[in-house]
Amino acid sequence: MLGLFVQIIDITLVLVLIYLMLLVIGERRNLWMIRGLIVLMLAAVLSHALKLPLLGFVLTNLSFGAAVAMAFMLQVEIRRFLELLGRGEIGQLFSSSNISISRPDSVIDELVDAVRELSQKRTGALMILEVGPPIDENDFSVPGVRLDAELSKELIQTIFQTTTLLHDGAILIRASRIVAAGVILPISERMASRQLGTRHRAAMGITERIENCLCIVVSEETGSISIAQRGSLNRPLTSNRLRELLQEQFTPVVDSDTVTPKLLHLGRRVTGLWKWTRQLGKR
């Protein structure tokens, strides 16, 4: 009876761990990898229950190797999880982070028009857009100069003119206002292409640190437009494609692919597999 109780606790803890992993991933970009790892782990458990030592050894080591590889690929998400755990803010994982913030089309139009003209003139620019709760400016290398001004394409183009003192930094955009300019961002520690300049690596760096933001980058050398989010760079973009991405990002929709129903379904499947394995063992 005690062994049964221990096995139930073991399965429960595994399900809780899977639940936390799904919460950390957020956008489910790598959900299929998580599922693949779960399948490998279940196959390893099943092979040991059926007394297939060689297959169990191969699957166990394959699961371990897959877990190590995922640790590298999901380093941004794992870092966020460890930071929240260290701060004692693990409850933030359970907050509703899949609800996008709405933004008036006029603001998006002003932003896209400014980016288009900066791109045509090959004027380098870097813009941080909040897509969730306000960003803690302590995550910036230098917070920059407070502006708190209404967003307009004229103001954005003026800030990034090479004759201004603030053109080298980034601007922080919150809702329909430019909160600060001349913000210095941390550089990404990931290996990046040599074709990427400091602005692109800074955009990747801040989106690695902060989940609830995206960065728009205009290259000074080529005039190409890029978007960085969660440490990944989407480039090159046309102004029309940029508009589409911003409208998708700031449309107030709720992610219907919730974790809890899938977790409950997975729990039922794991429990059924465990009962079936026990029956095989008794035979």
Side-chain angles (χ1 to χ4, degrees):
M1 186 66 183
L2 180 61
L4 176 63
F5 181 70
V6 170
Q7 288 180 337
I8 292 175
I9 293 178
D10 189 24
I11 292 175
T12 302
L13 292 176
V14 170
L15 291 176
V16 170
L17 180 61
I18 293 171
Y19 180 68
L20 291 175
M21 291 173 68
L22 294 177
L23 287 176
V24 169
I25 290 176
E27 289 185 350
R28 290 26 174 213
R29 294 178 305 160
N30 302 300
L31 184 58
W32 289 109
M33 289 195 301
I34 296 288
R35 290 175 176 173
L37 179 60
I38 293 172
V39 170
L40 283 177
M41 294 171 61
L42 292 177
V45 171
L46 182 60
S47 62
H48 285 296
L50 296 176
K51 301 187 184 302
L52 301 172
L54 182 58
L55 181 60
F57 173 80
V58 172
L59 291 175
T60 299
N61 285 277
L62 187 59
S63 300
F64 177 76
V68 172
M70 286 180 59
F72 282 98
M73 289 183 283
L74 301 177
Q75 56 181 313
V76 175
E77 289 82 0
I78 294 174
R79 175 178 178 175
R80 174 176 176 257
F81 173 76
L82 294 177
E83 286 182 351
L84 291 175
L85 187 63
R87 295 175 183 172
E89 301 174 354
I90 196 68
Q92 288 188 12
L93 288 175
F94 301 92
S95 62
S96 178
S97 60
N98 292 322
I99 301 177
S100 300
I101 295 178
S102 61
R103 185 158 297 188
D105 288 339
S106 59
V107 175
I108 295 178
D109 291 340
E110 290 283 322
L111 188 56
V112 172
D113 288 344
V115 170
R116 182 193 300 113
E117 294 189 20
L118 290 169
S119 173
Q120 291 173 350
K121 297 176 182 177
R122 295 194 177 183
T123 302
L126 179 57
M127 310 170 199
I128 315 162
L129 283 71
E130 292 181 346
V131 294
I135 296 173
D136 184 358
E137 295 184 14
N138 290 327
D139 288 316
F140 300 149
S141 298
V142 178
V145 178
R146 301 288 298 186
L147 294 182
D148 193 23
E150 190 72 23
L151 186 148
S152 67
K153 66 177 182 180
E154 292 83 6
L155 179 56
I156 292 176
Q157 292 181 72
T158 300
I159 290 174
F160 288 111
Q161 291 301 313
T162 56
T163 54
T164 66
L165 296 176
L166 301 177
H167 77 278
D168 276 336
I171 61 173
L172 173 60
I173 299 174
R174 178 175 299 155
S176 61
R177 303 188 70 82
I178 299 177
V179 178
V183 179
I184 305 301
L185 305 180
I187 302 297
S188 173
E189 297 177 359
R190 287 183 177 181
M191 294 295 293
S193 170
R194 294 182 180 179
Q195 297 177 351
L196 299 180
T198 305
R199 286 189 178 89
H200 294 87
R201 295 182 59 196
M204 294 170 61
I206 193 61
T207 55
E208 287 173 1
R209 284 174 173 261
I210 303 174
E211 182 185 31
N212 57 306
C213 77
L214 60 85
C215 283
I216 300 175
V217 187
V218 179
S219 172
E220 186 173 357
E221 295 182 359
T222 64
S224 64
I225 303 170
S226 310
I227 277 188
Q229 192 168 21
R230 291 178 177 268
S232 298
L233 204 60
N234 186 355
R235 63 188 290 266
L237 302 174
T238 63
S239 57
N240 289 333
R241 180 56 181 159
L242 174 64
R243 187 189 307 276
E244 293 174 1
L245 292 175
L246 293 178
Q247 288 174 341
E248 291 174 4
Q249 185 67 55
F250 295 108
T251 300
V253 294
V254 181
D255 186 3
S256 59
D257 185 18
T258 55
V259 173
T260 303
K262 289 183 177 294
L263 180 65
L264 293 176
H265 180 63
L266 177 63
R268 295 190 190 101
R269 295 181 66 177
V270 172
T271 304
L273 179 61
W274 171 73
K275 290 180 179 178
W276 180 65
T277 304
R278 282 181 59 83
Q279 291 175 358
L280 289 176
K282 290 180 180 179
R283 292 177 186 175

